[in-house]
Amino acid sequence: MHQNIIGKNVRITKNVREHIANKMQNIKIHADRIIDANIICEHMHGEYTVQGTIAFGKKVFHDKEKEKDLYVAIDTMFQKIEREIRKSKEKNIDRSQRSVVDKSIQTEEEDNSYYINTVGIYEKPLDELDAVVLFNNDKKPYMAYLPIKQGEDLYSIKIGKFPVFLFKGNDNKVFEIYNHNEEYWNIDEVSVTSDNNIDASKSENYLIKEYNVSEAVNYLTDNSDNKFVVYISSITEQAEALYKESDNSFVLIRMFDI
């Protein structure tokens, strides 16, 4: 399970994390196949807003609560999500019981379980040439890093806001997906030339969408020709990527720690 706790104008203390972890134990009783849990705590205008999104299988449960007290908001949010999960589980049990009588109802559901391994981006910012050379020498078919960009003069550099994602395709072709500006993304086929420059002559616009992890898995499952997808997380609003190792094994690449 991947559990993310994010604070906006809220310090996520050890006590808050432990309180959320205890609430998650109650959820696990009803949903032992949780693959993604995202909790966002925000403080604004004297009120705490807590929203949670919990995904297991292909089902996603979400709730958002506002309270004067942070812990009350957390408790209320988890209570409502737990209630919805319990209702969903009871419907499945009821359907399986009815299927004993009505043979026209399918009695066995397809196994949609899958495994996700989470990795972070490279530990330090890189310029494009160093990143591609490093990636070419690595056995892994995926990598992400924060790009170093030249500033307004020769003596200043900037660190890019969005990570750059590198993937190996067929015939060891290297594809680079990056933010061109605030609205548009590109995908380039890149290689290192003999004079140590980057050849990115094959470049296209990349349509980036908003997904949660479950939706990204569904996208790669439905589009079998694609090995990877870069998207904006609907939970954290950060750029993430998912790489498909096999039909039921994926690698999730994201900036923040789990």
Side-chain angles (χ1 to χ4, degrees):
M1 182 190 75
H2 308 286
Q3 179 175 303
N4 315 311
I5 304 173
I6 298 172
K8 296 182 178 180
N9 297 323
V10 177
R11 183 169 173 263
I12 305 299
T13 64
K14 180 181 178 181
N15 288 340
V16 171
R17 288 187 181 276
E18 289 179 350
H19 189 75
I20 291 175
N22 289 334
K23 296 300 176 181
M24 282 299 304
Q25 292 301 320
N26 295 334
I27 298 291
K28 289 179 183 179
I29 294 174
H30 305 288
D32 58 353
R33 289 173 57 195
I34 295 175
I35 61 157
D36 201 51
N38 295 279
I39 315 298
I40 300 176
C41 304
E42 184 175 7
H43 186 253
M44 186 176 294
H45 305 307
E47 276 190 321
Y48 290 96
T49 300
V50 177
Q51 54 181 318
T53 301
I54 296 176
F56 66 98
K58 290 189 175 182
K59 295 182 180 180
V60 178
F61 298 87
H62 176 79
D63 187 61
K64 181 178 181 180
E65 299 295 331
K66 285 186 178 182
E67 298 286 350
K68 295 290 186 181
D69 184 273
L70 175 60
Y71 289 91
V72 174
I74 292 171
D75 291 349
T76 305
M77 184 271 297
F78 271 106
Q79 286 171 2
K80 290 188 176 181
I81 288 182
E82 183 181 353
R83 190 180 305 129
E84 290 303 312
I85 291 175
R86 189 168 57 246
K87 285 181 180 179
S88 176
K89 189 175 181 180
E90 288 171 353
K91 284 181 180 179
N92 288 338
I93 294 173
D94 181 59
R95 183 176 64 180
S96 63
Q97 289 174 341
R98 284 186 287 111
S99 68
V100 175
V101 179
D102 185 354
K103 299 300 182 182
S104 65
I105 300 177
Q106 187 175 350
T107 59
E108 293 185 4
E109 294 185 0
E110 180 183 356
D111 185 7
N112 293 317
S113 62
Y114 47 85
Y115 175 77
I116 296 180
N117 178 38
T118 303
V119 299
I121 65 173
Y122 194 71
E123 63 266 23
K124 65 178 182 179
L126 298 168
D127 65 30
E128 186 180 26
L129 179 60
D130 287 342
V132 174
V133 170
L134 183 66
F135 183 58
N136 283 337
N137 293 327
D138 196 345
K139 293 182 179 179
K140 291 181 180 178
Y142 50 83
M143 176 183 167
Y145 68 97
L146 284 176
I148 294 174
K149 297 184 177 181
Q150 187 65 50
E152 296 179 356
D153 56 63
L154 296 175
Y155 301 100
S156 65
I157 60 172
K158 295 181 178 179
I159 307 301
K161 176 182 177 181
F162 296 94
V164 175
F165 299 92
L166 292 168
F167 299 99
K168 288 175 184 170
N170 297 329
D171 302 325
N172 279 330
K173 292 180 179 178
V174 175
F175 295 94
E176 182 179 63
I177 301 177
Y178 60 96
N179 180 256
H180 183 65
N181 55 44
E182 289 294 324
E183 296 183 7
Y184 299 101
W185 288 67
N186 277 21
I187 178 169
D188 297 352
E189 182 182 330
V190 295
S191 60
V192 180
T193 62
S194 58
D195 56 349
N196 271 347
N197 286 306
I198 293 293
D199 178 6
S201 55
K202 295 181 181 179
S203 179
E204 297 178 2
N205 291 333
Y206 185 82
L207 179 60
I208 192 163
K209 295 185 178 182
E210 187 175 279
Y211 290 136
N212 59 38
V213 176
S214 299
E215 291 168 336
V217 169
N218 291 341
Y219 171 83
L220 290 180
T221 302
D222 294 339
N223 296 271
S224 56
D225 291 339
N226 292 354
K227 295 283 290 182
F228 52 83
V229 61
V230 174
Y231 59 94
I232 300 298
S233 169
S234 58
I235 306 301
T236 66
E237 300 180 353
Q238 295 191 46
E240 299 180 354
L242 197 68
Y243 180 84
K244 181 168 65 176
E245 294 183 306
S246 66
D247 288 342
N248 61 354
S249 179
F250 300 85
V251 176
L252 175 62
I253 310 167
R254 56 181 17 158
M255 289 181 62
F256 49 91
D257 294 331
I258 303 301

